[in-house]
Amino acid sequence: GHPGVNNDFLVKTSDVLAICYNDISPLENMHCSRMFDIVTKPRTAVFGSLQKEQYHEVRSICVAAILHTDNVHHMPMVKKLQVFAELHAELLTDAQDVYQRRQEAIELGDMPADGATWPTKDLSDILWDSDNRTLLRNLVFHFADINNTTRPFAICKEWAVLVLEEFFSQGDSEKQFGLPVGPLNDREKLNRPFSQIGFIDFFAAPFVF
């Protein structure tokens, strides 16, 4: 399972996972490898009914989505999302209007007078493009990995405390190894509330707003 440290630490300490995966997303590669090891066993063969071509497609999708949970892909994905939003701004605005009209009508126990469906055909056509599907699929999976800040505060706070303690534990190990201590990993210096604000601004907000 997850050793409680990040990829950078594994690489800098020449951990067996970093060596096994040639310093490339060792944690995500390990997760992916373990998952497929599990689902190839008879009792957990959830893909067992798929044809060979279908299985290879599903495996390719899973591998890409899991590897994109590595935060090194975060900013490139955010930039691609921004480009997508800029290119299709009018279409997205129209689709949002349709969605809001439908929701208002449903709340009144009716359907929109114009009979518009959601997602709109134009939006569906854009989203069905292979590159856009891949981008959005990886984005959704990545956001599922970092979405703690969108949960109710009681849950969000508890998870944040646990995650910070994991970071601090790595910081303690970095000090023992004589490595530079990561900016979020020093239990003696980190401002905990501001660290969460920074996480929201840098990681979560670009996907939500």
Side-chain angles (χ1 to χ4, degrees):
H2 197 295
V5 294
N6 63 21
N7 285 329
D8 186 57
F9 182 85
L10 295 175
V11 171
K12 287 179 177 177
T13 58
S14 298
D15 185 88
V16 63
L17 282 176
I19 294 172
C20 180
Y21 296 110
N22 300 312
D23 297 345
I24 300 173
S25 303
L27 289 171
E28 291 72 24
N29 271 298
M30 178 270 291
H31 293 153
C32 197
S33 177
R34 295 282 175 85
M35 186 195 85
F36 277 99
D37 180 55
I38 291 170
V39 300
T40 54
K41 298 183 186 303
R43 291 184 59 187
T44 49
V46 294
F47 302 137
S49 63
L50 299 180
Q51 299 295 321
K52 183 178 294 186
E53 293 78 9
Q54 292 175 318
Y55 173 78
H56 287 310
E57 181 180 5
V58 169
R59 175 171 162 78
S60 176
I61 289 171
C62 290
V63 169
I66 293 171
L67 293 184
H68 274 78
T69 61
D70 185 345
N71 283 329
V72 299
H73 300 293
H74 178 80
M75 287 310 300
M77 284 195 290
V78 168
K79 290 178 180 178
K80 289 181 180 179
L81 181 62
Q82 291 171 339
V83 170
F84 177 87
E86 291 171 3
L87 286 176
H88 307 293
E90 184 176 351
L91 185 152
L92 292 170
T93 299
D94 291 343
Q96 186 176 30
D97 289 342
V98 170
Y99 176 79
Q100 291 176 340
R101 291 200 305 272
R102 282 179 56 83
Q103 290 304 107
E104 291 170 359
I106 290 172
E107 290 176 3
L108 295 173
D110 201 355
M111 289 297 290
D114 56 11
T117 60
W118 200 93
T120 62
K121 183 181 184 305
D122 289 341
L123 179 59
S124 295
D125 289 343
I126 293 297
L127 295 179
W128 198 246
D129 173 81
S130 178
D131 289 341
N132 290 335
R133 271 189 294 163
T134 298
L135 171 63
L136 293 176
R137 184 168 55 233
N138 293 343
L139 281 169
V140 169
F141 200 69
H142 176 51
F143 186 63
D145 194 39
I146 62 170
N147 74 348
N148 178 57
T149 55
T150 67
R151 299 176 185 274
F153 181 72
I155 299 174
C156 172
K157 180 181 178 181
E158 185 170 350
W159 271 107
V161 169
L162 292 172
V163 170
L164 284 175
E165 184 54 42
E166 183 176 286
F167 290 171
F168 294 153
S169 177
Q170 176 175 318
D172 295 341
S173 296
E174 287 169 336
K175 292 175 183 178
Q176 292 175 2
F177 277 92
L179 297 172
V181 179
L184 296 176
N185 300 349
D186 196 326
R187 66 174 73 245
E188 298 172 0
K189 297 180 180 179
L190 183 72
N191 184 307
R192 290 163 174 78
F194 279 110
S195 74
Q196 297 307 296
I197 293 172
F199 181 83
I200 292 170
D201 288 344
F202 186 76
F203 281 98
F207 286 168
V208 179
F209 300 107

